[in-house]
């Protein structure tokens, strides 16, 4: 699924806002979005939120054989994954150009800058070394993935603890965290990436662009630097020509931002370590603020139960006494009972359609009785004079239409077995013959 391009109206609106030094989220030109760092229960697990961009970092280790050309150095491996959970435009199971570019930039920033002492990861030269793997998962994409990923990677590495080992001759013993305290990694410095977006061929500059600003930018400059103002890597993309003064200006801004972010990371690590030593609550669930809809649990509030009996007696004394009237059961029919005032049983009441049918049937019965009295002949006998009655198993009914001057006729009508209501018969009025006077 490809990324939906912006319309011309949205593009013009964003560019005009940038020209007026205004941003959609209310920030100034050189402002960074808020950074939030939360740690998991295990060492080496963290979530970094850069505005609405969220990255999950997880570090793992394994004892493997070293590389042939570097027998005394450990292995450092980085892997960034872009899933459709972060943005629908990312294609699963396929390495896009953006993903390849981000992975290479992370390796240059963290591995090639020698921020981790890889020689301290060696257990037995030429046989056993530690392989440190850093997995980064993008949870939500709102722009500036590389900055959030670099912060998550370095925070996870600083927070990680590997198991302790001992070597006796050719035997390597691996200790669990219960037997020996895990060992932290040897980190020399913290390289952090800072991104700069250029618009109108380098005329306008923004720090930490969001997702919509990245769509309309002309070029991107990424500077990786530590708090000592040492540039670890620099990369320019987009095909724009930058002047020397612009690059120097960006490097000065990056130095200030990196110092602020490094201080924030160190405070977060110190707070987490302090909470773990004191035996307090830690983890992702504890980082969520209470009194919110997304809260998993709330703090237990103390309840005073010393005067519960006294309060219960006061409530009973102040309450109104129960009524002495006891409802008597009403027996409508045998086997039924009703307590209290209720609505009478309506099972025996007929519906309107059934009432109409009963009225129609009663009218026909009255007319047939009158015919018997006048003629002295039963209706069934009249029908038997013309043709014999044949009995059959078919579901048919015989309907006789009574006329004054003609013989009655039989009309058979087919009825369905599932039909509940019989056809409505129209009553036929019989004309009375005038008696002739003798």
């Amino acid at each position: 699924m490809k990324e939906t391009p912006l319309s011309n109206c949205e593009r013009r609106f964003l560019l005009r806002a940038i020209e007026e030094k205004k941003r959609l989220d209310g920030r100034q030109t050189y402002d960074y979005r808020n950074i939030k760092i939360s740690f998991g229960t295990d060492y080496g697990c963290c979530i970094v939120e850069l505005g609405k961009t969220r990255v999950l970092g997880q570090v793992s280790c394994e004892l493997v054989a070293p590389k042939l050309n570097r027998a005394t150095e450990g292995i450092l491996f980085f892997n960034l994954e872009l899933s459709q959970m972060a943005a629908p435009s990312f294609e699963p199971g396929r390495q896009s150009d953006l993903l390849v570019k981000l992975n290479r930039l992370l390796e240059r920033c963290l591995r090639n800058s020698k921020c981790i002492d890889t020689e301290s990861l060696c257990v037995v030269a030429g046989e056993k070394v530690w392989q440190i793997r850093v997995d980064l998962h993008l949870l939500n994409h709102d722009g500036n993935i590389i900055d959030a990923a670099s912060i998550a990677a370095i925070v996870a590495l600083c927070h990680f603890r590997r198991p302790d080992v001992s070597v006796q001759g050719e035997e390597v013993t691996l200790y669990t965290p219960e037997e020996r305290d895990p060992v932290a990694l040897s980190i020399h410095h913290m390289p952090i990436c800072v991104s700069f977006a250029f618009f109108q061929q380098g005329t306008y500059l923004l720090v930490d662009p969001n997702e919509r600003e990245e769509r309309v930018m002309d070029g991107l400059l990424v500077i990786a630097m530590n708090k000592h103002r040492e540039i670890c890597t620099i990369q320019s993309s987009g095909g724009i020509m930058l002047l020397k003064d612009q690059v120097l200006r960006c490097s000065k801004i990056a130095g200030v931002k990196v110092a602020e972010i490094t201080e924030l990371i160190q405070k977060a690590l110190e707070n987490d370590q302090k909470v773990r030593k004191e035996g307090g609550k830690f983890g992702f669930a504890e980082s969520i603020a209470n009194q919110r809809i997304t809260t998993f649990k709330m703090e237990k509030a103390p309840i005073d139960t010393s005067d519960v009996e006294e309060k219960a007696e006061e409530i009973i004394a102040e309450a109104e006494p129960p009524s002495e009237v006891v409802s008597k059961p009403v027996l409508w029919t045998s086997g039924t009972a009703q307590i209290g005032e209720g609505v009478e049983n309506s099972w025996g009441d007929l519906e309107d359609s059934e009432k109409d049918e009963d009225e129609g049937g009663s009218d026909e019965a009255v007319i047939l009785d009158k015919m018997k009295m006048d003629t002295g002949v039963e209706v069934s006998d009249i029908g038997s004079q013309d043709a014999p009655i044949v009995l059959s198993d078919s579901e048919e009914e015989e309907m006789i239409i009574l006329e004054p001057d003609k013989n009655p006729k039989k009309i058979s009508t087919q009825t369905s077995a599932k039909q509940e209501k019989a056809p409505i018969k129209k009553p036929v009025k019989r004309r009375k013959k005038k008696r002739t006077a003798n």
Side-chain angles (χ1 to χ4, degrees):
M1 181 177 178
K2 295 183 179 180
E3 190 178 73
T4 305
L6 293 176
S7 62
N8 294 331
C9 181
E10 291 177 332
R11 184 178 293 273
R12 288 196 301 268
F13 173 78
L14 290 171
L15 291 176
R16 184 174 179 181
I18 292 170
E19 291 175 2
E20 296 177 1
K21 296 183 179 180
K22 296 178 181 179
R23 305 181 75 169
L24 297 179
D25 49 8
R27 291 182 292 159
Q28 298 297 324
T29 305
Y30 303 134
D31 287 350
Y32 225 78
R33 286 176 290 182
N34 294 330
I35 301 175
K36 181 181 177 181
I37 301 173
S38 55
F39 298 96
T41 306
D42 299 331
Y43 283 108
C45 183
C46 70
I47 290 181
V48 174
E49 300 180 18
L50 180 59
K52 293 183 179 180
T53 301
R54 302 182 66 191
V55 178
L56 169 66
Q58 177 68 56
V59 180
S60 58
C61 63
E62 184 183 4
L63 282 174
V64 297
K67 295 181 180 180
L68 297 178
N69 55 349
R70 296 182 179 180
T72 60
E73 294 184 4
I75 301 173
L76 193 60
F77 179 74
F78 295 92
N79 179 40
L80 175 64
E81 292 185 3
L82 307 179
S83 63
Q84 284 189 321
M85 177 178 60
S89 59
F90 296 145
E91 298 180 5
R94 178 179 175 273
Q95 283 196 349
S96 60
D97 296 338
L98 175 63
L99 181 58
V100 174
K101 183 178 70 175
L102 293 175
N103 278 316
R104 290 178 179 175
L105 188 56
L106 280 174
E107 290 180 356
R108 293 206 313 267
C109 173
L110 298 170
R111 186 171 62 186
N112 297 347
S113 64
K114 303 293 183 181
C115 65
I116 296 178
D117 185 10
T118 55
E119 293 184 357
S120 63
L121 301 176
C122 179
V123 179
V124 179
E127 295 182 5
K128 295 289 183 180
V129 296
W130 284 108
Q131 179 184 0
I132 306 298
R133 178 187 176 93
V134 183
D135 291 305
L136 302 171
H137 301 269
L138 182 64
L139 303 180
N140 189 42
H141 174 41
D142 191 33
N144 202 3
I145 300 174
I146 185 61
D147 289 16
S150 66
I151 296 173
I154 195 64
V155 169
L157 287 170
C158 293
H159 189 254
F160 179 68
R161 302 288 187 273
R162 64 171 179 83
D164 194 8
V165 295
S166 63
V167 181
Q168 295 179 356
E170 296 181 355
E171 183 180 357
V172 178
T173 305
L174 186 66
Y175 297 97
T176 61
E178 290 78 14
E179 296 173 347
R180 287 189 183 181
D181 292 336
V183 182
L185 300 179
S186 178
I187 298 177
H188 299 307
H189 59 92
M190 297 184 186
I192 296 172
C193 295
V194 180
S195 299
F196 301 90
F198 292 92
F199 303 87
Q200 302 293 343
Q201 297 299 321
T203 306
Y204 301 100
L205 169 68
L206 291 181
V207 178
D208 183 24
N210 58 24
E211 190 263 342
R212 288 188 172 270
E213 292 170 349
E214 286 182 349
R215 292 193 186 186
V216 298
M217 68 182 181
D218 296 332
L220 182 69
L221 178 66
V222 179
I223 299 177
M225 186 181 293
N226 56 21
K227 66 177 182 180
H228 306 294
R229 294 182 178 271
E230 297 173 349
I231 295 178
C232 302
T233 185
I234 186 169
Q235 175 177 311
S236 177
S237 60
I240 61 171
M241 300 297 294
L242 297 177
L243 301 176
K244 180 180 67 174
D245 296 337
Q246 290 177 320
V247 177
L248 291 175
R249 181 184 179 186
C250 292
S251 64
K252 292 180 181 178
I253 297 172
V256 177
K257 299 299 179 184
V258 166
E260 296 175 356
I261 296 171
T262 304
E263 184 179 359
L264 177 64
I265 294 172
Q266 291 176 349
K267 287 183 179 180
L269 292 170
E270 291 174 0
N271 293 335
D272 181 77
Q273 193 66 21
K274 181 179 178 182
V275 170
R276 290 176 185 269
K277 285 184 178 180
E278 294 176 355
K281 298 179 180 179
F282 54 88
F284 293 141
E286 301 301 333
S287 63
I288 300 176
N290 290 331
Q291 305 297 335
R292 291 188 182 180
I293 297 176
T294 55
T295 304
F296 294 111
K297 58 184 179 180
M298 297 180 64
E299 296 291 338
K300 295 181 180 179
I303 300 175
D304 187 12
T305 59
S306 58
D307 56 346
V308 173
E309 296 182 358
E310 298 177 359
K311 290 183 178 180
E313 292 177 357
E314 292 178 1
I315 294 172
I316 294 173
E318 295 176 358
E320 296 180 359
S323 60
E324 298 180 355
V325 179
V326 180
S327 57
K328 297 180 180 180
V330 180
L331 299 177
W332 294 100
T333 58
S334 60
T336 62
Q338 174 182 333
I339 298 177
E341 297 180 358
V343 183
E344 294 184 359
N345 191 1
S346 61
W347 282 91
D349 297 343
L350 298 176
E351 297 182 357
D352 296 338
S353 60
E354 295 178 353
K355 290 180 179 179
D356 295 340
E357 292 178 4
D358 293 343
E359 292 176 359
S362 62
D363 293 341
E364 285 188 10
V366 172
I367 293 170
L368 293 175
D369 292 341
K370 288 182 180 180
M371 288 182 63
K372 290 179 182 179
M373 293 175 63
D374 295 342
T375 58
V377 181
E378 293 183 359
V379 179
S380 60
D381 296 340
I382 297 174
S384 62
Q385 293 175 2
D386 296 340
I389 297 175
V390 180
L391 299 176
S392 64
D393 295 335
S394 63
E395 298 177 354
E396 296 184 356
E397 293 181 358
E398 292 184 354
M399 182 176 65
I400 300 174
I401 299 177
L402 302 178
E403 295 183 1
D405 298 333
K406 299 179 181 179
N407 294 329
K409 300 179 181 179
K410 294 182 180 179
I411 300 175
S412 63
T413 58
Q414 185 72 21
T415 59
S416 173
K418 296 182 180 180
Q419 188 173 359
E420 296 178 358
K421 299 179 180 180
I424 300 173
K425 301 177 183 179
K426 297 182 179 179
V428 181
K429 295 182 179 180
R430 185 177 60 84
R431 297 179 182 177
K432 295 181 180 179
K433 296 182 181 180
K434 296 181 180 180
R435 296 181 180 178
T436 55
N438 294 331

